Amino acid sequence: MSGNDKTYTISELAREFDVTTRTIRHYEEQGLIAPERRGQHRIYSRRDRIRLLLTLRGKRIGLTLNEVRELFELYDAARDDAPQLLEFMRILDLREQRLMQQIEDINVVMREVQGLKAQCERLLEKKSADADSPQP
DNA sequence: ATTCTCACA
DNA sequence: TGTGAGGA
């Protein structure tokens, strides 16, 4: 009844997320995932897989591995500890503000990039025009 | 064939 | 994080 115990090998996860097994072991050393062990070999659960997914996503938005780990710890603690929920909420609020700021910054740079592209296109048009009708 | 630990021209 | 060594 509980086919909820799917597991993965380190190479399966490495392939799925396009990272090396070294990277996954590194995240474990940093305390981001704690796969079960069968002797020396690591057995990754669905939860471990999600944590890897979240870790990689966090990295993409500029979080350090330490920050990702802190979020995991806070989440785990807040899950069942009421007082921790308040602290967790505060952290999330700060994170939210930072993300909003990142979105703003990205939009600013995006417009600059688009503006430069437009300028380049105009220059290219002028060049081809000059080529058609050289020195006046 | 895979994974593991350890170490670093 | 990468990579190679030497085992299991």
mmCIF file of all heavy atoms in Angstrom, chain A residues 55-68 95 98-99 102 106:
data_model
loop_
_atom_site.group_PDB
_atom_site.id
_atom_site.type_symbol
_atom_site.label_atom_id
_atom_site.label_comp_id
_atom_site.label_asym_id
_atom_site.label_seq_id
_atom_site.Cartn_x
_atom_site.Cartn_y
_atom_site.Cartn_z
ATOM 1 N N THR A 55 17.847 22.959 -2.849
ATOM 2 C CA THR A 55 19.210 23.469 -2.690
ATOM 3 C C THR A 55 19.705 24.086 -3.995
ATOM 4 O O THR A 55 20.242 25.193 -4.014
ATOM 5 C CB THR A 55 20.171 22.330 -2.286
ATOM 6 O OG1 THR A 55 19.764 21.804 -1.021
ATOM 7 C CG2 THR A 55 21.602 22.845 -2.184
ATOM 8 N N LEU A 56 19.498 23.362 -5.083
ATOM 9 C CA LEU A 56 19.947 23.857 -6.388
ATOM 10 C C LEU A 56 19.182 25.116 -6.777
ATOM 11 O O LEU A 56 19.743 26.043 -7.351
ATOM 12 C CB LEU A 56 19.771 22.764 -7.454
ATOM 13 C CG LEU A 56 20.690 21.554 -7.241
ATOM 14 C CD1 LEU A 56 20.319 20.411 -8.178
ATOM 15 C CD2 LEU A 56 22.142 21.963 -7.429
ATOM 16 N N ARG A 57 17.911 25.139 -6.457
ATOM 17 C CA ARG A 57 17.104 26.318 -6.774
ATOM 18 C C ARG A 57 17.594 27.510 -5.949
ATOM 19 O O ARG A 57 17.738 28.614 -6.466
ATOM 20 C CB ARG A 57 15.631 26.036 -6.456
ATOM 21 C CG ARG A 57 14.723 27.223 -6.745
ATOM 22 C CD ARG A 57 13.275 26.860 -6.517
ATOM 23 N NE ARG A 57 12.790 25.884 -7.467
ATOM 24 C CZ ARG A 57 11.774 25.065 -7.230
ATOM 25 N NH1 ARG A 57 11.153 25.102 -6.068
ATOM 26 N NH2 ARG A 57 11.379 24.223 -8.150
ATOM 27 N N GLY A 58 17.860 27.267 -4.669
ATOM 28 C CA GLY A 58 18.359 28.320 -3.804
ATOM 29 C C GLY A 58 19.662 28.883 -4.331
ATOM 30 O O GLY A 58 19.885 30.091 -4.355
ATOM 31 N N LYS A 59 20.517 27.978 -4.794
ATOM 32 C CA LYS A 59 21.796 28.405 -5.326
ATOM 33 C C LYS A 59 21.581 29.296 -6.550
ATOM 34 O O LYS A 59 22.269 30.288 -6.736
ATOM 35 C CB LYS A 59 22.626 27.170 -5.706
ATOM 36 C CG LYS A 59 24.087 27.318 -5.360
ATOM 37 C CD LYS A 59 24.878 26.104 -5.817
ATOM 38 C CE LYS A 59 24.713 25.854 -7.305
ATOM 39 N NZ LYS A 59 25.590 24.782 -7.808
ATOM 40 N N ARG A 60 20.609 28.932 -7.364
ATOM 41 C CA ARG A 60 20.343 29.711 -8.590
ATOM 42 C C ARG A 60 19.887 31.135 -8.280
ATOM 43 O O ARG A 60 20.151 32.040 -9.059
ATOM 44 C CB ARG A 60 19.275 29.021 -9.453
ATOM 45 C CG ARG A 60 19.794 27.843 -10.256
ATOM 46 C CD ARG A 60 18.836 27.475 -11.396
ATOM 47 N NE ARG A 60 17.533 27.064 -10.942
ATOM 48 C CZ ARG A 60 17.197 25.831 -10.608
ATOM 49 N NH1 ARG A 60 18.111 24.875 -10.670
ATOM 50 N NH2 ARG A 60 15.984 25.542 -10.211
ATOM 51 N N ILE A 61 19.181 31.305 -7.175
ATOM 52 C CA ILE A 61 18.729 32.661 -6.858
ATOM 53 C C ILE A 61 19.728 33.376 -5.962
ATOM 54 O O ILE A 61 19.425 34.411 -5.388
ATOM 55 C CB ILE A 61 17.340 32.677 -6.185
ATOM 56 C CG1 ILE A 61 17.415 32.015 -4.817
ATOM 57 C CG2 ILE A 61 16.312 31.982 -7.053
ATOM 58 C CD1 ILE A 61 16.128 32.162 -4.026
ATOM 59 N N GLY A 62 20.909 32.822 -5.841
ATOM 60 C CA GLY A 62 21.963 33.514 -5.116
ATOM 61 C C GLY A 62 22.114 33.226 -3.637
ATOM 62 O O GLY A 62 22.821 33.944 -2.944
ATOM 63 N N LEU A 63 21.460 32.180 -3.138
ATOM 64 C CA LEU A 63 21.630 31.851 -1.724
ATOM 65 C C LEU A 63 22.914 31.043 -1.575
ATOM 66 O O LEU A 63 23.315 30.348 -2.493
ATOM 67 C CB LEU A 63 20.453 31.005 -1.222
ATOM 68 C CG LEU A 63 19.056 31.609 -1.264
ATOM 69 C CD1 LEU A 63 18.074 30.666 -0.573
ATOM 70 C CD2 LEU A 63 19.052 32.967 -0.583
ATOM 71 N N THR A 64 23.549 31.178 -0.398
ATOM 72 C CA THR A 64 24.739 30.374 -0.150
ATOM 73 C C THR A 64 24.240 29.042 0.399
ATOM 74 O O THR A 64 23.079 28.944 0.831
ATOM 75 C CB THR A 64 25.659 31.017 0.911
ATOM 76 O OG1 THR A 64 24.962 31.047 2.155
ATOM 77 C CG2 THR A 64 26.028 32.436 0.498
ATOM 78 N N LEU A 65 25.114 28.039 0.429
ATOM 79 C CA LEU A 65 24.704 26.740 0.949
ATOM 80 C C LEU A 65 24.333 26.891 2.425
ATOM 81 O O LEU A 65 23.417 26.229 2.910
ATOM 82 C CB LEU A 65 25.830 25.720 0.776
ATOM 83 C CG LEU A 65 26.175 25.374 -0.675
ATOM 84 C CD1 LEU A 65 27.253 24.299 -0.718
ATOM 85 C CD2 LEU A 65 24.924 24.901 -1.415
ATOM 86 N N ASN A 66 25.037 27.772 3.121
ATOM 87 C CA ASN A 66 24.726 27.992 4.542
ATOM 88 C C ASN A 66 23.320 28.555 4.712
ATOM 89 O O ASN A 66 22.602 28.171 5.623
ATOM 90 C CB ASN A 66 25.742 28.951 5.165
ATOM 91 C CG ASN A 66 27.049 28.256 5.494
ATOM 92 O OD1 ASN A 66 27.054 27.062 5.800
ATOM 93 N ND2 ASN A 66 28.140 28.983 5.431
ATOM 94 N N GLU A 67 22.946 29.466 3.833
ATOM 95 C CA GLU A 67 21.615 30.063 3.928
ATOM 96 C C GLU A 67 20.536 29.023 3.652
ATOM 97 O O GLU A 67 19.500 28.991 4.311
ATOM 98 C CB GLU A 67 21.495 31.232 2.952
ATOM 99 C CG GLU A 67 22.334 32.432 3.369
ATOM 100 C CD GLU A 67 22.338 33.545 2.349
ATOM 101 O OE1 GLU A 67 22.388 33.253 1.130
ATOM 102 O OE2 GLU A 67 22.286 34.709 2.746
ATOM 103 N N VAL A 68 20.796 28.162 2.689
ATOM 104 C CA VAL A 68 19.826 27.119 2.368
ATOM 105 C C VAL A 68 19.685 26.187 3.568
ATOM 106 O O VAL A 68 18.584 25.814 3.963
ATOM 107 C CB VAL A 68 20.272 26.297 1.139
ATOM 108 C CG1 VAL A 68 19.344 25.114 0.935
ATOM 109 C CG2 VAL A 68 20.273 27.182 -0.106
ATOM 110 N N ARG A 95 13.694 37.356 3.723
ATOM 111 C CA ARG A 95 13.995 36.688 2.449
ATOM 112 C C ARG A 95 13.090 37.256 1.365
ATOM 113 O O ARG A 95 13.513 37.483 0.233
ATOM 114 C CB ARG A 95 13.755 35.185 2.607
ATOM 115 C CG ARG A 95 14.257 34.367 1.458
ATOM 116 C CD ARG A 95 15.780 34.331 1.436
ATOM 117 N NE ARG A 95 16.330 33.563 2.535
ATOM 118 C CZ ARG A 95 17.565 33.724 3.004
ATOM 119 N NH1 ARG A 95 18.344 34.634 2.499
ATOM 120 N NH2 ARG A 95 17.991 32.971 3.982
ATOM 121 N N ARG A 98 14.355 40.556 0.219
ATOM 122 C CA ARG A 98 15.544 40.411 -0.633
ATOM 123 C C ARG A 98 15.154 39.972 -2.040
ATOM 124 O O ARG A 98 15.701 40.441 -3.031
ATOM 125 C CB ARG A 98 16.507 39.393 -0.024
ATOM 126 C CG ARG A 98 17.322 39.975 1.116
ATOM 127 C CD ARG A 98 18.286 38.970 1.682
ATOM 128 N NE ARG A 98 19.090 38.320 0.647
ATOM 129 C CZ ARG A 98 19.995 37.397 0.905
ATOM 130 N NH1 ARG A 98 20.211 37.028 2.149
ATOM 131 N NH2 ARG A 98 20.682 36.842 -0.067
ATOM 132 N N LEU A 99 14.206 39.023 -2.112
ATOM 133 C CA LEU A 99 13.769 38.534 -3.425
ATOM 134 C C LEU A 99 13.111 39.647 -4.231
ATOM 135 O O LEU A 99 13.339 39.788 -5.436
ATOM 136 C CB LEU A 99 12.803 37.357 -3.256
ATOM 137 C CG LEU A 99 13.443 36.067 -2.764
ATOM 138 C CD1 LEU A 99 12.381 35.026 -2.431
ATOM 139 C CD2 LEU A 99 14.395 35.524 -3.825
ATOM 140 N N GLN A 102 15.761 41.735 -5.611
ATOM 141 C CA GLN A 102 16.433 41.067 -6.729
ATOM 142 C C GLN A 102 15.617 41.207 -8.004
ATOM 143 O O GLN A 102 16.157 41.447 -9.080
ATOM 144 C CB GLN A 102 16.646 39.577 -6.408
ATOM 145 C CG GLN A 102 17.847 39.316 -5.509
ATOM 146 C CD GLN A 102 18.077 37.828 -5.301
ATOM 147 O OE1 GLN A 102 17.416 37.207 -4.487
ATOM 148 N NE2 GLN A 102 19.007 37.254 -6.037
ATOM 149 N N ILE A 106 16.871 42.967 -11.317
ATOM 150 C CA ILE A 106 16.896 42.209 -12.569
ATOM 151 C C ILE A 106 16.134 42.973 -13.649
ATOM 152 O O ILE A 106 16.586 43.076 -14.794
ATOM 153 C CB ILE A 106 16.285 40.810 -12.375
ATOM 154 C CG1 ILE A 106 17.264 39.931 -11.587
ATOM 155 C CG2 ILE A 106 15.968 40.173 -13.739
ATOM 156 C CD1 ILE A 106 16.700 38.567 -11.214
#
